[in-house]
Each structure stands twice: as C-alpha cells, then as structure tokens.
Amino acid sequence: MKWSQLLCPIRARGVHRVNPNDLRSEFQKDYHRIIGSASFRRLQDKTQVFPLDKSDFVRTRLTHSLEVSSFAKSLGQTVFEGIIRRELDSEVTPKVKEDVCSILECAGLIHDIGNPPFGHFGEDAIRDWYRKNLPLLKYRGKPVGELFTEQMKEDFYSFEGNAQALRLLSKLHFLVDENGMNLTFALLNTIVKYPVSSRGINKKSGNIKDKKMGYFHSEEELFRRIEEATGAKGCRYPLTYILEAADDIAYKTADIEDACKKGIISYHELLRELKGERYTSMLTDEQSRSTYNNALERLERYYSRAEGLASPGANAVQNWAVYVQIVLLESAGNAFIDNYNEIMEGSFRSELLEVSPGRVLAFALSDIAYRYVFSSKGILKMEISEGNMINSLLDRFVPAAIEYDTDYSSNIVNKKLMAIVSDNYKYIYRVYSKDCTDEEKLYLRLMLVNDFICGMTDSYAKNLYMELNGNI
C-alpha cells in the first residue's frame, strides 16, 4: 500500500466545484461536516458504560469520542514524525503527516456513531433478537430465512455498530442527497475496523481483520469502491490500527476512572488487583515488566501526594489514568513503527497494544473493569432492563416493516408504527430499494428497523418503549 493512494480524497458524490478561498484540505472539510451533524450530537445521550447516568463526570459516547479523536490525532503526529525522522518511507512527508492527523481526528469522532442505544449491550441485544426470531418470521407465508441469502441472514445474526457506522455515514445521514455525509474514502476506510463481510468472520484465523464484520450486504458495493480507490483491497487500512489503539486506550483508562469515582472499585482494591499474580505472572519480558512496575509505583506515588485531600483514592486514580494514557500511547506508537513494513504490506495480524510493552497493563485494565464494572449487579440489572426495551421495540417494528411498502394487507397498528419511523430513513429505503428484487427489498426493510433503533438516543429509546407500552 502507498500513501499517495491511501490518502484518497474521493467522495461518493464526486468532486465539487472548488472554492479558491477555501484553504482547507478535503479531510479538514470532513471534520466540519461531522461536528455540525445531528448524528454526532446524539452521542451526548448514548451510553459509554453507565446507562442513563445522571452524573456529570461519567463518560457518554460523545465525550468518549472526543477523547478518542484527541488520542488518535496525537498518536498520528508521534508515529508519522517518527517515520519521517527514521526515513522509513520516502512517501511520508510533512504534508502526509498533516493529512493523516486530520483523518485520524475525524475518525475518532465517528468511530462509534453507528452504535445503538445502551452501549455494546445494545449490539448484543439486537443480535440475540434476530438469532431467536428471524427463523420464525414469515413473509407471504414463507419463512424469511428461506428468502434471504446466507450473507443477508448473517448481517442480522452478527450485527455490528461498526458496520452500521459506515451505513449511517454513507447513506442515512440525509442532508443533500442519498450519499449521507459524503465523507472522503480515506476516512471511511479508516473506520472500517474489519474489512470483511458477515460471511468472512473467522475468529479462529488469528488475524484481527477477520474478528467481526465491517460492512453489511447493503454497503458491499460501496466498500468495494472504497478499498479499490484507496489501494487497501483485501487488507486492513493502516490508520485503522492507530484508531483502534486510541479507542482501546481511551475506554480502558476511562472505565477504571469512572468506576472509581462511582465507588464501584476503590484505590486500594485497584492496587491490590494490579499487584496480584493474575497479572504479574504475565510479565515475561523486561520491557513489559518495567512498564508495568513503573505504573504501579506511579499509582502509589499519586496516592501519597493526595492523602490530605477529601478523596485521595479517586484523585490518585484520576491522575494515574492520565499517566497510563501517555504510557500506552507511546507503546502503541512504537509498535506501529516497529511493525510498519508488515502493516503497509497488509500482513500485520494483531492489535498494536498486544505487541507492545504496555500489553499486560492494557489487559489488566480491561480485565479489572470487566470483573468489577461489567459484572456488577447494578450493571447486569440495567442491561436486562435495556434488553427488554430493545426486544420490545424489535417485536413491534420488525413485523410492521415486513408488511411496509407492499400490497400485503397491513393492520392499522403496523401502519401507525411505520409512520413513527424517520421519514429520512424511509426515503433512503425507497432510493436504494428501487429496482431491487422482492427479497432484497425485504432485507432493506429489516435494515430500516435497525436504522431507526440505532439512531435512537438512550432517552428516546426508553421513552418510546414506555409510550408504546401505555406508560404515557
């Protein structure tokens, strides 16, 4: 792969008339399209970890995305300055570095924009509903599963917010026409973490790019255009590794900090966990051992400095989280540079943090968060409640969508339900279903329901659920 092609400024709508007074690059123009969009603003009412939380310090998808954007841009600056200084690639110039940073800044803002309400559990709930109910659904007396191709079915069984992001950005965010935000292909390729379809998922391959799906059947043709234009055909786009590392660092540190502030885990519990054999036994090389031990020492030092404060533990963890972010960003950056040739050849198979000196520290953070936060009774009870909400919405809207836009006699309630669905989304359905087969139209109608639900904020989903169940 070559940067001259990877940094592709092409957009689906094509080239616009250039304003000679507009000195922004195409990637800087992407930034302003994103910031001004309603889809981006809705992230302020979508869960990161703690659903429907009233605390002003707990992260939402919006604040998380802003952090990822900042980390990704900073990491891009460090990495590409290192490539220039070491003369690893003659194509990498200061202009390339500038464009890379603009792309990464934008990618951080939109990497979660396709996620449904209630965080990653929302994705699980959608997948589970379709696995249970799709085989039971019927259209004109025939099982829906028999009318769909295997890829169509797998799109619902393996639903991913990442694939939904590509769909939203390229189609659903209606502003001018059916091309969505009409972002550059370089940016769109960056956010596709897994450049395979639902039929290409292979979690046993050992290659990170096959772990999940990155696009739906409905966007496959567009994705082929994108990867052809950028030259990343069949490979993971290089900047995706940096975006992924920035995302991982942001949520791993934030989950611990937020959990400590909410009293789910204390400073002393965190320190005890980090000193335990569960993690120290994984320190098999000098670099990871040094990185880990320095982090432990720094945590204790921050606590010692904060002992006179009202909440010394929370203060220490907050300061320590910032320190860990710096350490992990440096580790990820070095990993990108060390594996640069393999990344550019498309043969690198891991996440950056997994092959960095910060790998044990990164794992410990996510493992502790899982055991203390995501397995806590409060979160589990909330997830059950959220699952009921999403199940109820799918129970109502999917049968209504099956009958929508057909000559099949639909009952009055189903007609009213479809009237609630966004007019923009229904318009996009009509545009892209034109000249499709009956089976493809049915597939797109079920996608329309997913589009509607994924576009909801947490509060809207909760309120709609309550209203439809008579709690007005």
Side-chain angles (χ1 to χ4, degrees), residues 139 146-148 152 436-444:
Y139 174 62
E146 293 181 8
L147 299 173
F148 284 172
M152 288 177 178
C436 285
T437 65
D438 205 28
E439 292 77 13
E440 289 171 334
K441 287 182 178 179
L442 176 59
Y443 165 84
L444 291 175

Side-chain angles (χ1 to χ4, degrees), residues 114-117 119-131 152-165 167 198 201 212-216 390 446-447 449-451 453-455:
N115 280 35
H120 288 298
F121 182 74
E123 293 175 281
D124 293 335
I126 292 173
R127 284 191 289 263
D128 290 345
W129 189 93
Y130 279 107
R131 287 169 185 161
M152 288 177 178
K153 288 188 288 188
E154 287 298 327
D155 280 0
F156 296 104
Y157 297 158
S158 303
F159 172 83
E160 276 295 324
N162 186 248
Q164 185 68 23
R167 179 169 169 79
S198 57
I201 299 172
K212 300 177 182 178
M213 72 165 163
Y215 56 88
F216 298 119
I390 288 181
L446 296 196
M447 293 295 290
V449 176
N450 287 358
D451 297 338
I453 290 178
C454 289

Side-chain angles (χ1 to χ4, degrees), residues 19 23 112 207 218 247 270 319 321 331 333 351 368 406 422 430:
N19 181 350
L23 302 181
D112 275 347
N207 194 328
S218 51
D247 184 22
L270 175 61
N319 281 293
S331 292
E351 298 177 9
I368 292 169
T406 69
S422 164
R430 290 193 294 273

Side-chain angles (χ1 to χ4, degrees), residues 11 16 29-37 181-183:
R11 304 175 188 272
H16 295 278
K29 293 175 185 176
D30 281 343
Y31 180 86
H32 292 95
R33 293 181 185 211
I34 295 163
I35 287 292
S37 72
M181 287 192 198
N182 197 36
L183 302 174

Side-chain angles (χ1 to χ4, degrees), residues 220-273:
E220 184 161 7
E221 182 180 344
L222 171 65
F223 179 71
R224 297 300 175 210
R225 287 179 60 196
I226 291 171
E227 64 173 2
E228 186 74 36
T230 62
K233 194 171 182 179
C235 302
R236 210 183 201 204
Y237 192 79
L239 297 186
T240 304
Y241 291 99
I242 293 178
L243 173 64
E244 178 179 61
D247 184 22
D248 287 350
I249 293 166
Y251 82 74
K252 287 175 190 293
T253 54
D255 289 354
I256 294 296
E257 182 185 350
D258 287 352
C260 185
K261 286 182 176 179
K262 287 183 69 68
I264 294 175
I265 184 172
S266 69
Y267 159 80
H268 295 290
E269 287 172 323
L270 175 61
L271 184 63
R272 185 183 70 246
E273 288 284 355

Side-chain angles (χ1 to χ4, degrees), residues 67-176:
E67 289 176 340
V68 175
S69 175
S70 175
F71 291 166
K73 182 179 180 180
S74 297
L75 191 50
Q77 289 173 326
T78 301
V79 165
F80 281 78
E81 183 62 34
I83 292 171
I84 292 172
R85 288 181 178 179
R86 298 189 194 186
E87 299 181 343
L88 296 179
D89 188 338
S90 60
E91 270 205 331
V92 177
T93 63
K95 178 62 170 64
V96 166
K97 184 182 79 168
E98 180 183 345
D99 286 343
V100 161
C101 290
S102 294
I103 291 170
L104 287 169
E105 183 176 30
C106 292
L109 295 178
I110 60 176
H111 77 286
D112 275 347
I113 206 165
N115 280 35
F118 312 128
H120 288 298
F121 182 74
E123 293 175 281
D124 293 335
I126 292 173
R127 284 191 289 263
D128 290 345
W129 189 93
Y130 279 107
R131 287 169 185 161
K132 178 182 178 182
N133 292 283
L134 187 61
L136 306 177
L137 297 173
K138 290 190 176 182
Y139 174 62
R140 298 187 186 275
K142 295 182 179 179
V144 170
E146 293 181 8
L147 299 173
F148 284 172
T149 65
E150 287 301 314
Q151 183 177 351
M152 288 177 178
K153 288 188 288 188
E154 287 298 327
D155 280 0
F156 296 104
Y157 297 158
S158 303
F159 172 83
E160 276 295 324
N162 186 248
Q164 185 68 23
L166 177 63
R167 179 169 169 79
L168 185 153
L169 295 166
S170 62
K171 294 180 179 177
L172 303 179
H173 184 85
F174 184 85
L175 187 61
V176 176

